[in-house]
Amino acid sequence: MARAICISGIECCGVETMVLTKLFRVDALYPDPSILDVVCRDVLSGKIIVFPTETVYGLGASIYRPEAIRRIFIAKNRPIDNPLIIHISRREHLYETAVDIPDAVWRLIELVWPGPLTLVLKGGSAVPPEATAGLPTVAIRMPAHPVAEKLIDCTGPLAAPSANISGRPSPTTSHHILTDMFGRTDIIIDAGDTIFGIESTIVDFSIKPPRLLRPGAMPIERITEILGIEVTVTDVSRGYVEAEEALAPGMKYRHYAPSTPLIVVETRKPEDVLKVALSLRRERKRIAVITCRENVEIYQGIVDKIITVGSRENLFEVAKNLFTTLRELDRLGVDIAVAESFPEKGIGLAIMNRLRKASTKIIL
Ligand code: TXA
Ligand code: MG
């Protein structure tokens, strides 16, 4: 069990607890092996750990320690019906974590793993119900981050959701993980900014044809090209449909949401965003606009804050800055924010999914 001591301050599922957190800073490419050795032993003995992946930081526990997996839900304040992704570092880990793996999946992972693609497969015997929320399927991925790879090589498979408090954007920087998880997790490995800054793509291969459950850092176009068959993309995967219709249990919960109301304008013409901003200005609202570098000048002198998430020509840059932008929105002192849209190609599909899920209103 965790060394949970009662100190007033953190409200955690109704219990006031504060966990003593050990913080290690490591080089993202060449992490100190002696640090990894220490934390590996801790994880095997049942500790929970924040660790970097190429997408976002994860909060992990060994799949062989169900009691530690349960603590992840408490630390994040995560509903227990929302299953976790199993992170592996070798293909052999699949033999214990999944069964009936289709040939197409073996071909796919040969080309894209390690990398930001999560597969939903029929669950194997080593994965406890604490990680799958009792589902017969399991989500599995092999992260492409030297720290995650080396850590999991030592610990074996780790069950891990993103290391944010539920409802907040996933953590992509040292600042995010310290803000959300210090005092809630036993260990933090801080390796600086993650690479993509947006979560993995999730595809359900337990059904035919496979279905996109969550767009992410791996473009769906690349997956369909390798498979040679279409992957079903629905309004749910685009981020329009909430609640009961959601396919991945986690998608029914409101996500990424700042307290500041956020309007997403889908038309992609900055003039339309400007019109929305002008009408809000007439209502005497203080307004922030989330835009790309190319359009900054259009809003100057009209809105109170202009937030640039990157260039339209480089959607990877936009993805990387998106969660920091959403986290900082509430600190700008504005009444409302209006966001431009981005092309739904490649990683753009994931950007639009997250923006829609963070929004309070979508203007089509
Ligand atoms: O990039 C990522 O995927 C990050 C890093 C840490 O790996 N992880 C992450 O985990 O985003 P999480 O828990 O925040 O999101 C995983 C999503 C949730 O919406 C969950 O409901 C869904 O995956 N999921 C997990 N197991 C599933 C299953 N068996 N069937 C359908 N959806 C599943
Ligand atoms: Mg998450």
Side-chain angles (χ1 to χ4, degrees):
M1 276 300 290
R3 287 170 297 158
I5 51 168
C6 283
I7 301 179
S8 64
I10 290 184
E11 174 75 10
C12 197
C13 292
V15 185
E16 292 225 329
T17 58
M18 185 128 173
V19 174
L20 295 176
T21 301
K22 285 197 230 168
L23 171 64
F24 298 95
R25 295 221 151 89
V26 300
D27 186 275
L29 290 179
Y30 304 104
D32 183 338
S34 65
I35 292 179
L36 290 182
D37 238 35
V38 170
V39 298
C40 170
R41 262 183 274 130
D42 280 351
V43 169
L44 289 173
S45 76
K47 300 279 191 259
I48 59 174
I49 182 167
V50 170
F51 65 100
T53 81
E54 79 281 33
T55 56
V56 302
Y57 275 86
L59 173 62
S62 162
I63 62 165
Y64 310 117
R65 292 285 180 174
E67 76 284 3
I69 297 176
R70 281 196 290 271
R71 284 188 52 225
I72 288 179
F73 288 83
I74 296 170
K76 269 184 67 95
N77 214 355
R78 181 177 175 107
I80 51 163
D81 64 350
N82 192 1
L84 311 182
I85 294 175
I86 307 302
H87 294 67
I88 63 174
S89 63
R90 304 174 207 165
R91 279 204 284 168
E92 299 85 84
H93 289 147
L94 277 175
Y95 299 127
E96 51 176 335
T97 51
V99 292
D100 297 342
I101 301 174
D103 288 345
V105 167
W106 287 113
R107 285 201 306 276
L108 181 63
I109 61 179
E110 182 77 30
L111 295 173
V112 303
W113 271 4
L117 173 64
T118 297
L119 307 171
V120 172
L121 300 165
K122 289 194 186 132
S125 56
V127 185
E130 281 80 358
T132 60
L135 291 177
T137 53
V138 64
I140 305 181
R141 87 177 196 93
M142 190 188 283
H145 189 294
V147 176
E149 281 180 41
K150 291 188 165 84
L151 175 69
I152 300 165
D153 259 349
C154 178
T155 59
L158 293 181
S162 50
N164 51 291
I165 291 178
S166 279
R168 286 196 196 157
S170 298
T172 63
T173 68
S174 310
H175 180 66
H176 299 167
I177 46 170
L178 291 176
T179 308
D180 278 17
M181 284 299 145
F182 199 83
R184 287 176 181 263
T185 177
D186 301 312
I187 305 159
I188 292 176
I189 308 186
D190 175 1
D193 293 358
T194 62
I195 299 157
F196 289 102
I198 208 158
E199 305 92 338
S200 63
T201 302
I202 307 181
V203 179
D204 187 352
F205 279 94
S206 72
I207 49 165
K208 278 189 188 155
R211 181 156 35 180
L212 176 67
L213 300 187
R214 179 180 73 184
M218 166 104 26
I220 194 67
E221 294 89 338
R222 172 144 165 71
I223 299 163
T224 49
E225 187 190 310
I226 293 170
L227 289 173
I229 51 164
E230 278 308 305
V231 172
T232 313
V233 178
T234 64
D235 275 355
V236 176
S237 29
R238 290 184 191 282
Y240 284 117
V241 184
E242 285 288 337
E244 274 57 62
E245 289 168 71
L247 302 167
M251 292 167 70
K252 72 185 174 198
Y253 299 106
R254 188 145 186 252
H255 263 95
Y256 316 110
S259 311
T260 311
L262 173 66
I263 299 177
V264 174
V265 183
E266 295 249 351
T267 62
R268 285 196 212 145
K269 284 194 266 158
E271 303 81 57
D272 292 326
V273 180
L274 198 61
K275 264 189 231 155
V276 174
L278 283 168
S279 76
L280 291 167
R281 206 180 132 103
R282 280 193 287 277
E283 294 170 29
R284 300 195 170 281
K285 295 245 169 45
R286 283 179 58 79
I287 309 152
V289 159
I290 300 176
T291 179
C292 56
R293 206 171 295 128
E294 290 84 347
N295 294 341
V296 166
E297 283 175 13
I298 298 174
Y299 307 106
Q300 268 162 1
I302 294 184
V303 300
D304 300 277
K305 301 272 175 188
I306 300 173
I307 310 162
T308 314
V309 276
S311 163
R312 293 191 88 72
E313 301 301 313
N314 183 359
L315 293 180
F316 281 96
E317 185 190 10
V318 175
K320 191 161 179 166
N321 291 327
L322 189 63
F323 288 164
T324 299
T325 300
L326 291 176
R327 278 177 178 250
E328 284 176 2
L329 214 49
D330 290 337
R331 287 204 246 134
L332 296 179
V334 295
D335 302 311
I336 192 155
V338 187
E340 284 180 0
S341 291
F342 296 87
E344 278 183 285
K345 276 188 284 176
I347 204 166
L349 190 62
I351 293 170
M352 287 311 297
N353 167 288
R354 307 304 188 271
L355 270 177
R356 288 180 189 125
K357 286 170 98 44
S359 70
T360 41
K361 186 174 174 184
I362 297 172
I363 298 182
L364 295 171

